[in-house]
Amino acid sequence: MKRLFFLILTVVPVFYGIANPLLDYRVFKTKYVDVIYQKGLEASIYDFVSEVDRLYEDITSFYGILPDERLRVIITDDTDIPNAFAIPFDDSIHIYACGNSGNDISSDYKNWYRFVFTHELTHVLLGNYFNPYYSILRTFGDPLPSLILSSQIPLYLHEGLSIFTESKFNDIFGRLNDARFQMYIRGDLMAGKFRGLEIAGGYFSHRQWAPAGMMYEYGASLIEFIVEYFGVPALKHFLYEFFNSPASGIISALKKISEEDMRDFVEKWKKHEQKKAEEIKRWVNYHILRVGKRLTYSGWWTGIFDVSKDGKIFYFEDNENSESSLSVLDLENRLKKKVIGLGKIPVDIEVSPSGRYVAIVVNSQQYFNIFSFNELIIYDTVEDRLWNLNLRRVVSVDWYNEEELLMLTNDKGFRRIKKYNLKTGRTQIIFDETRGIFVDSFSHYNGLVYFSGTYEGQKDLFVLKLSDGTVYRLTNDLSNEFEPEISEDGRYLYFASDSPDSEYNIFNIYVADLEKKEIFRITNVIYGAFSPKIFKQGIVYRGYTPVGYDIFYIAEPFEKTYETNKKLCYERFDHIEDIIAKRNYVLSNSVGFLNYVKPRIWMFLPYVSVTEESAQFMIYQFNAFWDVFVENLVLSYGIFRTANEPVNLSIFFIGREFLDYSLNFNFRYSFEDSGKFENSMNGKANFYIPFGNPAKPVSFVQKVDLQASSGQDFNVQLTSSFLFDQFYNRYYGRFWRTALSFSTNIMKIENWNIGLMNSFVALKTLWNFQMILNKDSVSLSVNAQTPLWIIDRGTLDGRYSIGSVDLIASNGLKFSSGKPEPVFKIGFKTNFSIQYYVELATEFGIKYEKDRFYPYFQINPSILDLF
């Protein structure tokens, strides 16, 4: 007999004090926003909390959208990675306080918090632009319609609008006004590879190099074109049409404002960008460019470098199919060799006066794989070994002498210049946040520190006299001057600047004559020139090309120069920030913050299943709860149906804020087994301990798996692993990993196994060799995957994309009781993306096992990790 059972499950757990035990938070409440910040950041967020309500009002009024609930802005200083992110369905924005834009844009913003807030608030608002149909879904909790709506918006629209907002509401700042950001599309156009929206499907598929992100670059260009060609009202009309019917997609909305087919519209946009590129070519006189001799020809992120006095260029090389490595190029004879593989992403490099030591800043993960801090190490070229100085939060360095370093460091949202003695380990602060300047880069000469820094939104050049601490401002205009390099005689100051006297913004190398106070331009490039370094009478610089950055050399920089209308101003800079007053104001208006978990989504979903044997009616009942940081998650999931097992209930606890863990309780009622409840429990926890040299990191990972069910034994599986990550590539992740693991069930010690795995990329193929040994058998396997056809194309509306067709092959052999059992597989794998957060991996081929061949087919869906 079948019965229909209805189960309504409501689980409302409230956890207090769930927050990272390493950090302490407070909250500053404004009219519209809760600014939740890590304690110690009070002074750095003062300007932001003073203007956040005005920004909120301006932006929400412009778009005509309000968040569903009170906005939360979470600010932490637990990483040196410059970034922020928004969670639209949670109405929250998370900002990292380090305030550095990195190497892909030129930091032309007035205030870091304001810059990223205007960008991320746009994401939140787009996730709340409901039409009446989506609003009905609020019955099941506000985050649900936002989550569904966000999945309908192409990433290029999300990012393009956000960049438009940051540029509109940051005065003259923002990426639409950023010479370095605009440089990337200009490079694509001049190389004949304008990509448009062809890889609109999302982050999963594309493997083409895009330093600032393909969705950002082309999304921003598209929105800028709409505004230039049709005007701001047309942009608002376009958004209205799109969000009035997201199911119709972006193609329908664009047709409403342009009366054109989307392909024709995209072609018009492409011609518009090409016209701008041609205008720039004419303006710079493309046929008589002054570009240095190209030295490296490796592209991508090559060119974080320094030059020793004997002409050796130590530089980072990071291209498509190689690891991030420290290489050396002899400028005299052009001989190049790799010095050492680097475990993490390179940040800065400086060679000591004697040329023996190379100071290297890399980004290295610490604190159980949660926080990412920069780390300073020293490479000894004579002894061919690395020193780990245990110095973190370092942004860049310069040698004061052979025994002392000057370091630029991140510190609670500010920048400080410090002197560090390698022998004594003593650190001395020589420039701090009280001067009100956010320092970007610096160069030292004879007791003078020349540096670039942002003050009141302008990035200018300054000089600090170490003898008495006085500061002089050398430039004072709207151009961005940075990366200063002083000559050995102290007369000439080289730097990069985005055309202070030009119609178009292009970064070039400039030189200031400190005696005559005159400024001249040295290069005349079409893309961009950065990071000048001096060798003898010449300069070495980092230049952009359509295939990435490379290193260039000009032997006689003064042989030809370009006049400018700019001179050094040498203004004494005596401004002092009242840091204590700012800190006290924010602190006195803040209250303690205690993290908690609260209900967020609940819903009932009907489902009917019909087969040739039976028909079932089911209702899924789902609850979701998460904390303010969206790190700890509680899910309850219930099913009631017309079946022999009418009740099935699961409760999940998931967290990763401090420890990666999950816990699942499952309850099931069965008619077939005397009408009783069965229950089971599964749990896991992963604990990371990184150690070793950051250039060759080692991690110890302890995994604990718990399993228990009624009527069965309780099992605890322990897996201990050592991971050796020799190389790291910023796009492909781990380039070479060796792992050694030991696993056992402590309730049944005889159930153990030892595993050895080695995976790496070679010849554009991912290889994986694995061996598993236990008491009964030995297994060996070799797996390979290589792309046969890289497609990387998406539909223009951003809904779907296809990555590549890969050839996969594996060959395994298992020895059990002395008898070999071979397994062989060969086939093809294709990756599809739906919208931007669902990926379908389709695989088919021929398999051999148990003495027979047979065809196989499988589809593996995966959803972007939203939590």
Side-chain angles (χ1 to χ4, degrees), residues 711-724:
Q712 297 186 14
D713 294 335
F714 177 72
N715 295 317
V716 181
Q717 189 80 13
L718 299 178
T719 304
S720 303
S721 303
F722 284 95
L723 307 178
F724 303 86

Side-chain angles (χ1 to χ4, degrees), residues 290 511 519-523 556-564:
R290 191 182 191 207
V511 61
I519 295 177
F520 302 92
R521 180 159 56 92
I522 293 176
T523 62
E556 299 290 340
F558 291 100
E559 187 176 63
K560 179 181 180 181
T561 59
Y562 303 84
E563 297 286 339
T564 70

Side-chain angles (χ1 to χ4, degrees), residues 474-492:
L474 301 181
T475 60
N476 187 359
D477 58 28
L478 294 179
S479 61
N480 288 286
E481 293 96 8
F482 69 120
E483 299 178 327
E485 178 76 2
I486 188 69
S487 62
E488 289 188 10
D489 60 5
R491 176 172 178 177
Y492 297 103

